[in-house]
């Protein structure tokens, strides 16, 4: 786990990690949240309701978004993190069970008065297609 | 699970549900995401790093935010939901293990050209204190 303090952090700092979303993770997330929507387990339903655009069920968008927690709490800033707010999580392409995601955050701004950093986040799949983008504001508590 | 179609939905539609965040949920989320930050299990660390403002560890903000998946996928619109994007998730007060949360969404806008609804979300604890707000844009696939 990183332990960046507010003064350690410079605009342009980049951290990145990989994460595989498994079928089991989907089941766990379903039980955790109670989101039993068939888009996330029923391939036929996903195909039918998307007019054939999808041929498999898609991973929960919020399961992918949960990796923002890891990015903040382990990498930028890591130990001294407290997520303040998140602007604009956007979902760009589907994530499927088994996909390996690369989650990258870059510090794009700092607010000294409240020890807040702004982190631009991009998540891509193993074909380098963007699946999600976000902008996160984290308080750095040291 | 609700099955609202786009034409079923009127501006002003409100859906609400309750959810208890347990200590076990926190452990599951930690394993699911790899976010091992001590703010979310170590009461002494949480107290120390917050300068005494907290006396217990706090629940992951993104675990609370994951309930947006449930709101969209089960309630508004339910079965035909696909989350398009989320503007501004803001965290207002801490959530602690054992808290009962009430998650409420209200449809505040519709975009007919792309069958998109805008849902204003507020999550409160059992003392009616706001813990999180968000604005979610969902495609309604039927």
């Amino acid at each position: 786990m990183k332990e960046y303090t507010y003064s350690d952090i410079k605009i342009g700092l980049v951290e990145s990690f990989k994460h595989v979303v498994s079928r089991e993770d989907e089941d766990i997330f379903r039980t955790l949240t109670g989101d039993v929507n068939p888009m996330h387990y029923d391939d036929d339903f996903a195909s039918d309701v998307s007019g054939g655009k999808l041929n498999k069920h898609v991973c929960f968008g919020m399961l992918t978004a949960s990796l923002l927690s890891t990015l903040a709490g382990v990498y930028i800033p890591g130990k001294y993190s407290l997520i303040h707010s998140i602007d604009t999580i956007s979902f760009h392409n589907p994530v499927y069970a088994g996909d390996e995601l690369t989650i990258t955050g870059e510090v794009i701004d700092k607010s000294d008065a409240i020890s807040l950093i702004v982190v631009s986040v991009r998540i891509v799949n193993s074909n380098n297609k963007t699946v999600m983008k976000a902008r996160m504001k984290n308080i750095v508590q040291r």
Side-chain angles (χ1 to χ4, degrees), chain A:
Chain A
M1 186 176 355
K2 299 287 184 178
E3 298 190 14
Y4 292 112
T5 62
Y6 184 76
S7 59
D8 288 336
I9 295 171
K10 306 288 178 269
I11 288 174
L13 173 67
V14 173
E15 291 282 354
S16 193
F17 68 99
K18 292 188 191 300
H19 185 96
V20 175
V21 179
S22 70
R23 189 81 201 240
E24 191 191 24
D25 290 344
E26 291 179 320
D27 293 340
I28 290 168
F29 191 83
R30 182 171 14 264
T31 304
L32 191 63
T33 60
D35 181 0
V36 294
N37 192 293
M39 276 297 283
H40 307 301
Y41 64 81
D42 187 335
D43 296 344
D44 292 336
F45 176 81
S47 174
D48 180 46
V49 82
S50 68
K53 278 193 210 142
L54 302 168
N55 57 13
K56 284 189 292 181
H57 72 275
V58 297
C59 180
F60 300 90
M62 290 311 296
L63 174 49
T64 304
S66 291
L67 299 173
L68 294 173
S69 195
T70 321
L71 183 67
V74 178
Y75 294 94
I76 306 185
K79 192 174 183 182
Y80 304 118
S81 173
L82 195 67
I83 299 178
H84 172 268
S85 55
I86 304 169
D87 298 342
T88 314
I89 294 175
S90 55
F91 299 106
H92 294 258
N93 281 290
V95 175
Y96 300 106
D99 283 1
E100 182 190 69
L101 304 178
T102 301
I103 301 88
T104 303
E106 177 182 354
V107 177
I108 61 170
D109 206 355
K110 295 180 71 176
S111 282
D112 295 349
I114 50 173
S115 298
L116 181 139
I117 60 172
V118 184
V119 183
S120 174
V121 184
R122 181 183 296 263
I123 302 180
V124 301
N125 64 19
S126 51
N127 296 323
N128 207 34
K129 259 186 155 176
T130 297
V131 299
M132 198 192 100
K133 294 199 283 190
R135 210 167 68 146
M136 190 163 50
K137 292 177 176 170
N138 300 340
I139 304 286
V140 190
Q141 301 187 92
R142 284 261 159 88

